[in-house]
Amino acid sequence: MRLKTLVRPLLLIAATAAVPAFAQAAKPAPAAAPAAPITAPQKAVIDRAILGVFKALPTRFENVQNPLTPAKVELGRMLYFENRLSKNHDVSCNSCHDLNNFGVDGKPFSPGHKKQLGGRNSPTVYNAGGHVLQFWDGRAPSLEEQAKGPILNPVEMAMPSEAAVVETLKSIPGYVTAFQKAFPGEADPVNYNNVGNAIGAFERQLVTPSRFDKYLAGDEKALTEAEKVGLSKFLEQGCQTCHNGPVIGGSLQKLGLVVPFQSKDQGRFDLTKQETDRMIFRVPTLRNVAKTAPYFHDGSVKDLPTAVKLMAQHQFGKQITDTDVNHIVTFLGSLTGELPKSYIAKPKLPASGPKTRKPDPT
């Protein structure tokens, strides 16, 4: 079955090249020295109507069920960097999703409690608020729900229970005050659900707009000519079928739609046991993709050109040329945004109380 792209881009690629002249002579003549080729930079004219499949990044990703407030965001920032949310006090959210490294740790699988390795690559948290669902298999409906998972995962942060997390936080006076400020009016604000709400609120403003957003807004000079050529190739190949919207990804799609992708991990099928979910994964955001290697759910690909080639092969059944790969990779570089340095600066964390749980390496 061949995939039909959702959008058939109308592109005009204009290139100037020398055309050699050939003349027939009645008598043999000495061969003339070949003329130096005349080249001109390749240019792309892109129909802006096609760009409607993308959207500029918002300043933050709202959740009406978890309104953002300064106090809630500040608490979430502290909890994001908090090692005491792990059993041995040596792992935090930032350990696997390093905010100073575009939200990743650069490893195929991240080490957690007792240096155990997780079974899937840790994706970036930047712009994750634009995903339809969270985790590679989409098992969490929101950032708030996703934030609660790793804390209790025995391979990751390994806290024994929600009650143990709440007990730890209530033993730290500074956190009791911070929860009261973040969730005013609640009789018992230090609870596990609010841990997820606070971290989710912080993550909803981890947004990295890039030059591509300026281009979408109409600034033709925001991208170089080479990047525009790469964008035209990206559209021409049909990449926008899955990589669209404000985060240029984030939906659920089958990996290996045309050519099967060999993997023991069967994606969403392992969660639902529904045959229709076999090899269904959440599509990674292409925001900052040049900075978030290695690639795929198994972290099996170290470089971006190889990842582009494999996607063309598995999703479209195409053998894309090295030239087109290089063009697309050039465009993808324009999706690298600036990190919000002041927003992601590690805050001062409150001191432990006399009853705070001690590190437990077991």
Short mmCIF file of all heavy atoms in Angstrom, two decimals, residues 97-159:
data_model
loop_
_atom_site.label_atom_id
_atom_site.label_comp_id
_atom_site.label_asym_id
_atom_site.label_seq_id
_atom_site.Cartn_x
_atom_site.Cartn_y
_atom_site.Cartn_z
N HIS A 97 16.24 14.69 30.97
CA HIS A 97 15.75 15.72 30.06
C HIS A 97 16.45 17.03 30.41
O HIS A 97 15.86 17.96 30.97
CB HIS A 97 14.23 15.87 30.19
CG HIS A 97 13.48 14.58 30.01
ND1 HIS A 97 13.22 14.05 28.77
CD2 HIS A 97 12.97 13.71 30.91
CE1 HIS A 97 12.55 12.91 28.90
NE2 HIS A 97 12.39 12.69 30.19
N ASP A 98 17.74 17.08 30.08
CA ASP A 98 18.60 18.19 30.47
C ASP A 98 18.19 19.47 29.73
O ASP A 98 18.34 19.58 28.51
CB ASP A 98 20.06 17.83 30.15
CG ASP A 98 21.06 18.84 30.64
OD1 ASP A 98 20.65 19.95 31.05
OD2 ASP A 98 22.27 18.55 30.61
N LEU A 99 17.71 20.44 30.47
CA LEU A 99 17.20 21.66 29.86
C LEU A 99 18.30 22.49 29.20
O LEU A 99 18.01 23.28 28.30
CB LEU A 99 16.46 22.49 30.90
CG LEU A 99 15.20 21.85 31.49
CD1 LEU A 99 14.53 22.80 32.46
CD2 LEU A 99 14.23 21.42 30.40
N ASN A 100 19.53 22.33 29.64
CA ASN A 100 20.64 23.04 29.01
C ASN A 100 21.17 22.31 27.78
O ASN A 100 22.08 22.80 27.12
CB ASN A 100 21.77 23.27 30.01
CG ASN A 100 21.46 24.41 30.97
OD1 ASN A 100 21.06 25.49 30.55
ND2 ASN A 100 21.63 24.17 32.26
N ASN A 101 20.61 21.12 27.49
CA ASN A 101 21.03 20.33 26.35
C ASN A 101 19.82 20.03 25.45
O ASN A 101 19.67 18.92 24.96
CB ASN A 101 21.70 19.02 26.81
CG ASN A 101 22.41 18.30 25.69
OD1 ASN A 101 23.07 18.91 24.86
ND2 ASN A 101 22.27 16.99 25.66
N PHE A 102 18.98 21.02 25.27
CA PHE A 102 17.79 20.92 24.43
C PHE A 102 16.83 19.83 24.90
O PHE A 102 16.12 19.22 24.13
CB PHE A 102 18.17 20.74 22.96
CG PHE A 102 18.75 21.98 22.36
CD1 PHE A 102 20.12 22.24 22.41
CD2 PHE A 102 17.93 22.95 21.78
CE1 PHE A 102 20.67 23.41 21.88
CE2 PHE A 102 18.46 24.11 21.26
CZ PHE A 102 19.82 24.35 21.30
N GLY A 103 16.86 19.56 26.21
CA GLY A 103 15.87 18.67 26.80
C GLY A 103 16.15 17.20 26.70
O GLY A 103 15.27 16.37 26.96
N VAL A 104 17.38 16.82 26.34
CA VAL A 104 17.76 15.41 26.23
C VAL A 104 19.09 15.18 26.94
O VAL A 104 19.79 16.12 27.30
CB VAL A 104 17.87 14.96 24.76
CG1 VAL A 104 16.54 15.12 24.04
CG2 VAL A 104 18.96 15.74 24.03
N ASP A 105 19.45 13.89 27.11
CA ASP A 105 20.75 13.58 27.70
C ASP A 105 21.74 13.03 26.67
O ASP A 105 22.88 12.71 27.00
CB ASP A 105 20.61 12.60 28.87
CG ASP A 105 20.02 11.25 28.48
OD1 ASP A 105 19.78 11.03 27.27
OD2 ASP A 105 19.79 10.41 29.37
N GLY A 106 21.30 12.89 25.42
CA GLY A 106 22.20 12.45 24.35
C GLY A 106 22.54 10.97 24.37
O GLY A 106 23.46 10.55 23.67
N LYS A 107 21.79 10.18 25.12
CA LYS A 107 22.06 8.75 25.22
C LYS A 107 20.92 7.95 24.60
O LYS A 107 19.76 8.39 24.65
CB LYS A 107 22.24 8.36 26.69
CG LYS A 107 23.35 9.13 27.41
CD LYS A 107 23.35 8.85 28.90
CE LYS A 107 24.43 9.66 29.61
NZ LYS A 107 24.39 9.48 31.08
N PRO A 108 21.23 6.76 24.06
CA PRO A 108 20.13 5.94 23.52
C PRO A 108 19.08 5.63 24.58
O PRO A 108 17.88 5.74 24.34
CB PRO A 108 20.84 4.68 23.03
CG PRO A 108 22.25 5.12 22.75
CD PRO A 108 22.55 6.16 23.79
N PHE A 109 19.55 5.22 25.77
CA PHE A 109 18.67 4.93 26.90
C PHE A 109 19.22 5.61 28.14
O PHE A 109 20.43 5.57 28.38
CB PHE A 109 18.54 3.43 27.13
CG PHE A 109 18.02 2.67 25.94
CD1 PHE A 109 18.84 1.77 25.28
CD2 PHE A 109 16.74 2.86 25.47
CE1 PHE A 109 18.38 1.08 24.17
CE2 PHE A 109 16.27 2.17 24.36
CZ PHE A 109 17.09 1.28 23.70
N SER A 110 18.37 6.20 28.93
CA SER A 110 18.81 6.97 30.08
C SER A 110 18.98 6.10 31.32
O SER A 110 18.13 5.25 31.61
CB SER A 110 17.81 8.08 30.39
OG SER A 110 17.68 8.95 29.29
N PRO A 111 20.05 6.31 32.09
CA PRO A 111 20.23 5.57 33.33
C PRO A 111 19.37 6.15 34.45
O PRO A 111 19.25 7.37 34.59
CB PRO A 111 21.72 5.75 33.64
CG PRO A 111 22.08 7.05 32.99
CD PRO A 111 21.22 7.15 31.77
N GLY A 112 18.75 5.27 35.22
CA GLY A 112 17.92 5.71 36.33
C GLY A 112 18.41 5.14 37.64
O GLY A 112 19.61 5.12 37.91
N HIS A 113 17.48 4.65 38.46
CA HIS A 113 17.82 4.10 39.77
C HIS A 113 18.78 2.90 39.62
O HIS A 113 18.55 2.01 38.81
CB HIS A 113 16.56 3.66 40.50
CG HIS A 113 16.79 3.17 41.89
ND1 HIS A 113 17.33 3.95 42.89
CD2 HIS A 113 16.55 1.95 42.45
CE1 HIS A 113 17.41 3.26 44.00
NE2 HIS A 113 16.95 2.03 43.76
N LYS A 114 19.85 2.93 40.38
CA LYS A 114 20.89 1.89 40.32
C LYS A 114 21.47 1.75 38.91
O LYS A 114 21.88 0.67 38.51
CB LYS A 114 20.34 0.55 40.83
CG LYS A 114 19.92 0.56 42.30
CD LYS A 114 19.67 -0.83 42.86
CE LYS A 114 18.49 -1.51 42.22
NZ LYS A 114 18.16 -2.80 42.90
N LYS A 115 21.46 2.85 38.17
CA LYS A 115 22.01 2.91 36.81
C LYS A 115 21.29 1.99 35.83
O LYS A 115 21.83 1.65 34.76
CB LYS A 115 23.51 2.59 36.82
CG LYS A 115 24.34 3.46 37.76
CD LYS A 115 24.20 4.93 37.43
CE LYS A 115 25.00 5.80 38.38
NZ LYS A 115 24.81 7.25 38.13
N GLN A 116 20.08 1.59 36.17
CA GLN A 116 19.28 0.79 35.24
C GLN A 116 18.94 1.64 34.01
O GLN A 116 18.72 2.84 34.12
CB GLN A 116 17.98 0.33 35.90
CG GLN A 116 18.18 -0.56 37.11
CD GLN A 116 16.84 -0.85 37.79
OE1 GLN A 116 16.18 -1.84 37.48
NE2 GLN A 116 16.44 0.01 38.70
N LEU A 117 18.88 0.98 32.86
CA LEU A 117 18.57 1.69 31.63
C LEU A 117 17.11 1.50 31.25
O LEU A 117 16.57 0.39 31.32
CB LEU A 117 19.46 1.18 30.48
CG LEU A 117 20.96 1.43 30.62
CD1 LEU A 117 21.69 0.86 29.41
CD2 LEU A 117 21.26 2.91 30.80
N GLY A 118 16.49 2.59 30.85
CA GLY A 118 15.12 2.51 30.38
C GLY A 118 15.04 1.80 29.05
O GLY A 118 16.06 1.58 28.38
N GLY A 119 13.84 1.46 28.63
CA GLY A 119 13.66 0.70 27.40
C GLY A 119 13.43 1.54 26.16
O GLY A 119 13.40 1.01 25.05
N ARG A 120 13.28 2.87 26.36
CA ARG A 120 13.06 3.76 25.22
C ARG A 120 13.89 5.03 25.40
O ARG A 120 14.21 5.41 26.53
CB ARG A 120 11.58 4.13 25.08
CG ARG A 120 10.72 2.98 24.56
CD ARG A 120 9.24 3.33 24.59
NE ARG A 120 8.43 2.25 24.01
CZ ARG A 120 7.15 2.07 24.27
NH1 ARG A 120 6.51 2.89 25.10
NH2 ARG A 120 6.48 1.08 23.70
N ASN A 121 14.20 5.65 24.29
CA ASN A 121 14.97 6.88 24.31
C ASN A 121 14.17 7.99 25.00
O ASN A 121 12.97 8.10 24.85
CB ASN A 121 15.30 7.29 22.88
CG ASN A 121 16.04 8.60 22.79
OD1 ASN A 121 15.45 9.60 22.45
ND2 ASN A 121 17.33 8.57 23.11
N SER A 122 14.87 8.82 25.78
CA SER A 122 14.21 9.94 26.47
C SER A 122 14.05 11.11 25.51
O SER A 122 15.04 11.74 25.12
CB SER A 122 15.04 10.38 27.68
OG SER A 122 15.11 9.36 28.64
N PRO A 123 12.83 11.43 25.11
CA PRO A 123 12.62 12.52 24.15
C PRO A 123 12.74 13.88 24.81
O PRO A 123 12.68 14.01 26.03
CB PRO A 123 11.20 12.27 23.65
CG PRO A 123 10.52 11.62 24.82
CD PRO A 123 11.57 10.78 25.50
N THR A 124 12.89 14.90 24.01
CA THR A 124 12.98 16.25 24.54
C THR A 124 11.68 16.70 25.18
O THR A 124 10.59 16.31 24.74
CB THR A 124 13.38 17.24 23.43
OG1 THR A 124 13.45 18.57 24.00
CG2 THR A 124 12.37 17.25 22.29
N VAL A 125 11.80 17.53 26.23
CA VAL A 125 10.62 18.11 26.86
C VAL A 125 10.28 19.46 26.26
O VAL A 125 9.19 19.99 26.51
CB VAL A 125 10.80 18.26 28.38
CG1 VAL A 125 10.84 16.90 29.05
CG2 VAL A 125 12.06 19.05 28.71
N TYR A 126 11.18 20.03 25.48
CA TYR A 126 10.89 21.31 24.86
C TYR A 126 9.76 21.18 23.84
O TYR A 126 9.76 20.25 23.01
CB TYR A 126 12.14 21.88 24.19
CG TYR A 126 13.09 22.54 25.18
CD1 TYR A 126 14.29 21.94 25.51
CD2 TYR A 126 12.76 23.75 25.78
CE1 TYR A 126 15.16 22.53 26.43
CE2 TYR A 126 13.62 24.34 26.69
CZ TYR A 126 14.81 23.74 27.01
OH TYR A 126 15.66 24.33 27.93
N ASN A 127 8.80 22.06 23.94
CA ASN A 127 7.64 22.11 23.03
C ASN A 127 6.74 20.88 23.15
O ASN A 127 5.86 20.68 22.31
CB ASN A 127 8.11 22.28 21.58
CG ASN A 127 9.10 23.42 21.43
OD1 ASN A 127 8.79 24.57 21.72
ND2 ASN A 127 10.32 23.10 21.01
N ALA A 128 6.93 20.07 24.20
CA ALA A 128 6.14 18.85 24.34
C ALA A 128 4.68 19.14 24.65
O ALA A 128 3.83 18.27 24.47
CB ALA A 128 6.74 17.96 25.45
N GLY A 129 4.39 20.37 25.08
CA GLY A 129 3.00 20.72 25.33
C GLY A 129 2.16 20.72 24.06
O GLY A 129 0.93 20.70 24.14
N GLY A 130 2.80 20.69 22.90
CA GLY A 130 2.08 20.65 21.64
C GLY A 130 1.81 19.25 21.13
O GLY A 130 1.21 19.08 20.07
N HIS A 131 2.22 18.23 21.87
CA HIS A 131 1.96 16.86 21.47
C HIS A 131 0.51 16.48 21.76
O HIS A 131 -0.06 16.92 22.77
CB HIS A 131 2.89 15.89 22.21
CG HIS A 131 4.32 16.04 21.85
ND1 HIS A 131 5.34 15.54 22.64
CD2 HIS A 131 4.93 16.64 20.80
CE1 HIS A 131 6.51 15.82 22.08
NE2 HIS A 131 6.28 16.48 20.97
N VAL A 132 -0.05 15.63 20.93
CA VAL A 132 -1.41 15.16 21.14
C VAL A 132 -1.48 14.32 22.41
O VAL A 132 -2.40 14.45 23.22
CB VAL A 132 -1.88 14.34 19.92
CG1 VAL A 132 -3.24 13.71 20.20
CG2 VAL A 132 -1.96 15.23 18.69
N LEU A 133 -0.50 13.44 22.58
CA LEU A 133 -0.38 12.59 23.76
C LEU A 133 1.09 12.54 24.16
O LEU A 133 1.97 12.91 23.38
CB LEU A 133 -0.90 11.17 23.47
CG LEU A 133 -2.40 11.04 23.12
CD1 LEU A 133 -2.70 9.64 22.61
CD2 LEU A 133 -3.28 11.37 24.31
N GLN A 134 1.36 12.03 25.37
CA GLN A 134 2.72 12.00 25.88
C GLN A 134 3.24 10.56 25.96
O GLN A 134 2.48 9.61 26.00
CB GLN A 134 2.79 12.66 27.26
CG GLN A 134 2.27 14.09 27.28
CD GLN A 134 3.07 15.03 26.39
OE1 GLN A 134 4.30 14.91 26.27
NE2 GLN A 134 2.39 15.97 25.74
N PHE A 135 4.56 10.43 26.05
CA PHE A 135 5.31 9.17 25.97
C PHE A 135 5.29 8.66 24.53
O PHE A 135 4.44 9.04 23.72
CB PHE A 135 4.76 8.08 26.91
CG PHE A 135 4.97 8.34 28.38
CD1 PHE A 135 3.88 8.59 29.21
CD2 PHE A 135 6.23 8.32 28.93
CE1 PHE A 135 4.06 8.81 30.56
CE2 PHE A 135 6.42 8.55 30.29
CZ PHE A 135 5.33 8.80 31.10
N TRP A 136 6.24 7.80 24.21
CA TRP A 136 6.35 7.27 22.85
C TRP A 136 5.09 6.51 22.44
O TRP A 136 4.72 6.48 21.26
CB TRP A 136 7.55 6.32 22.75
CG TRP A 136 8.87 7.02 22.58
CD1 TRP A 136 9.84 7.20 23.53
CD2 TRP A 136 9.39 7.60 21.38
NE1 TRP A 136 10.92 7.87 23.00
CE2 TRP A 136 10.67 8.12 21.68
CE3 TRP A 136 8.90 7.73 20.09
CZ2 TRP A 136 11.47 8.77 20.73
CZ3 TRP A 136 9.68 8.37 19.13
CH2 TRP A 136 10.96 8.88 19.46
N ASP A 137 4.41 5.87 23.40
CA ASP A 137 3.21 5.11 23.04
C ASP A 137 1.92 5.87 23.33
O ASP A 137 0.83 5.33 23.20
CB ASP A 137 3.19 3.77 23.78
CG ASP A 137 3.30 3.92 25.30
OD1 ASP A 137 3.16 5.05 25.81
OD2 ASP A 137 3.55 2.90 25.98
N GLY A 138 2.04 7.14 23.73
CA GLY A 138 0.87 7.96 23.94
C GLY A 138 0.03 7.57 25.13
O GLY A 138 -1.17 7.88 25.18
N ARG A 139 0.63 6.92 26.14
CA ARG A 139 -0.17 6.43 27.25
C ARG A 139 -0.60 7.51 28.24
O ARG A 139 -1.48 7.26 29.07
CB ARG A 139 0.57 5.32 28.00
CG ARG A 139 1.85 5.74 28.71
CD ARG A 139 2.51 4.51 29.33
NE ARG A 139 3.72 4.82 30.06
CZ ARG A 139 4.93 4.91 29.52
NH1 ARG A 139 5.06 4.73 28.20
NH2 ARG A 139 5.99 5.17 30.26
N ALA A 140 0.00 8.70 28.18
CA ALA A 140 -0.41 9.79 29.06
C ALA A 140 -1.11 10.87 28.24
O ALA A 140 -0.60 11.30 27.20
CB ALA A 140 0.79 10.38 29.79
N PRO A 141 -2.26 11.35 28.69
CA PRO A 141 -3.02 12.33 27.91
C PRO A 141 -2.49 13.75 28.01
O PRO A 141 -2.88 14.61 27.21
CB PRO A 141 -4.43 12.24 28.51
CG PRO A 141 -4.20 11.82 29.92
CD PRO A 141 -3.02 10.91 29.88
N SER A 142 -1.62 14.03 28.98
CA SER A 142 -1.17 15.40 29.19
C SER A 142 0.21 15.42 29.84
O SER A 142 0.70 14.40 30.36
CB SER A 142 -2.15 16.15 30.10
OG SER A 142 -2.12 15.58 31.41
N LEU A 143 0.84 16.59 29.80
CA LEU A 143 2.12 16.75 30.49
C LEU A 143 1.97 16.50 31.98
O LEU A 143 2.88 15.95 32.63
CB LEU A 143 2.66 18.17 30.26
CG LEU A 143 3.22 18.49 28.87
CD1 LEU A 143 3.59 19.97 28.80
CD2 LEU A 143 4.44 17.63 28.56
N GLU A 144 0.85 16.92 32.54
CA GLU A 144 0.63 16.75 33.97
C GLU A 144 0.61 15.28 34.36
O GLU A 144 1.18 14.89 35.39
CB GLU A 144 -0.69 17.43 34.36
CG GLU A 144 -0.66 18.95 34.33
CD GLU A 144 -0.76 19.56 32.93
OE1 GLU A 144 -0.99 18.79 31.95
OE2 GLU A 144 -0.61 20.78 32.81
N GLU A 145 -0.04 14.45 33.55
CA GLU A 145 -0.07 13.02 33.83
C GLU A 145 1.29 12.38 33.55
O GLU A 145 1.72 11.49 34.28
CB GLU A 145 -1.16 12.34 33.00
CG GLU A 145 -2.57 12.66 33.46
CD GLU A 145 -2.82 12.22 34.89
OE1 GLU A 145 -2.47 11.07 35.24
OE2 GLU A 145 -3.38 13.02 35.68
N GLN A 146 1.93 12.82 32.49
CA GLN A 146 3.24 12.27 32.16
C GLN A 146 4.24 12.49 33.28
O GLN A 146 5.04 11.62 33.61
CB GLN A 146 3.76 12.89 30.86
CG GLN A 146 5.06 12.31 30.34
CD GLN A 146 6.30 12.89 31.03
OE1 GLN A 146 6.28 14.04 31.45
NE2 GLN A 146 7.34 12.08 31.16
N ALA A 147 4.19 13.66 33.90
CA ALA A 147 5.18 14.02 34.93
C ALA A 147 5.12 13.08 36.12
O ALA A 147 6.13 12.90 36.83
CB ALA A 147 4.95 15.46 35.38
N LYS A 148 3.98 12.46 36.36
CA LYS A 148 3.83 11.58 37.53
C LYS A 148 4.37 10.18 37.30
O LYS A 148 4.59 9.43 38.26
CB LYS A 148 2.35 11.51 37.94
CG LYS A 148 1.78 12.86 38.37
CD LYS A 148 0.37 12.72 38.94
CE LYS A 148 -0.66 12.33 37.93
NZ LYS A 148 -2.03 12.31 38.49
N GLY A 149 4.59 9.81 36.03
CA GLY A 149 5.00 8.44 35.73
C GLY A 149 6.41 8.08 36.15
O GLY A 149 6.62 7.11 36.89
N PRO A 150 7.44 8.82 35.69
CA PRO A 150 8.82 8.43 35.99
C PRO A 150 9.16 8.38 37.48
O PRO A 150 10.03 7.61 37.90
CB PRO A 150 9.64 9.52 35.29
CG PRO A 150 8.75 9.99 34.18
CD PRO A 150 7.37 9.94 34.74
N ILE A 151 8.49 9.19 38.29
CA ILE A 151 8.80 9.22 39.73
C ILE A 151 8.56 7.86 40.37
O ILE A 151 9.34 7.42 41.23
CB ILE A 151 7.96 10.31 40.43
CG1 ILE A 151 8.31 11.69 39.87
CG2 ILE A 151 8.20 10.30 41.94
CD1 ILE A 151 7.41 12.81 40.37
N LEU A 152 7.52 7.15 39.93
CA LEU A 152 7.17 5.85 40.51
C LEU A 152 7.72 4.67 39.72
O LEU A 152 7.60 3.52 40.17
CB LEU A 152 5.65 5.73 40.62
CG LEU A 152 4.93 6.81 41.44
CD1 LEU A 152 3.43 6.53 41.47
CD2 LEU A 152 5.49 6.89 42.85
N ASN A 153 8.32 4.94 38.56
CA ASN A 153 8.85 3.85 37.74
C ASN A 153 10.08 3.25 38.42
O ASN A 153 11.04 3.95 38.72
CB ASN A 153 9.23 4.39 36.36
CG ASN A 153 9.59 3.30 35.38
OD1 ASN A 153 10.41 2.44 35.67
ND2 ASN A 153 8.99 3.33 34.21
N PRO A 154 10.09 1.93 38.69
CA PRO A 154 11.21 1.32 39.41
C PRO A 154 12.55 1.39 38.69
O PRO A 154 13.60 1.28 39.32
CB PRO A 154 10.76 -0.14 39.58
CG PRO A 154 9.74 -0.36 38.51
CD PRO A 154 9.05 0.96 38.34
N VAL A 155 12.52 1.60 37.36
CA VAL A 155 13.76 1.72 36.60
C VAL A 155 14.25 3.17 36.58
O VAL A 155 15.45 3.41 36.44
CB VAL A 155 13.56 1.20 35.16
CG1 VAL A 155 14.80 1.44 34.30
CG2 VAL A 155 13.21 -0.28 35.18
N GLU A 156 13.35 4.10 36.77
CA GLU A 156 13.72 5.51 36.64
C GLU A 156 14.00 6.15 38.00
O GLU A 156 15.11 6.09 38.50
CB GLU A 156 12.62 6.25 35.86
CG GLU A 156 12.49 5.70 34.43
CD GLU A 156 11.44 6.42 33.61
OE1 GLU A 156 11.58 7.64 33.43
OE2 GLU A 156 10.49 5.75 33.14
N MET A 157 13.00 6.73 38.65
CA MET A 157 13.24 7.41 39.93
C MET A 157 12.91 6.52 41.13
O MET A 157 13.37 6.77 42.23
CB MET A 157 12.46 8.72 39.96
CG MET A 157 12.93 9.67 38.86
SD MET A 157 11.91 11.15 38.62
CE MET A 157 12.47 12.16 39.99
N ALA A 158 12.09 5.50 40.91
CA ALA A 158 11.93 4.37 41.83
C ALA A 158 11.33 4.70 43.19
O ALA A 158 11.54 3.95 44.15
CB ALA A 158 13.27 3.65 42.01
N MET A 159 10.59 5.79 43.31
CA MET A 159 9.91 6.02 44.58
C MET A 159 8.87 4.93 44.78
O MET A 159 8.18 4.52 43.85
CB MET A 159 9.28 7.40 44.59
CG MET A 159 10.28 8.53 44.74
SD MET A 159 11.14 8.54 46.34
CE MET A 159 9.94 9.39 47.36
#
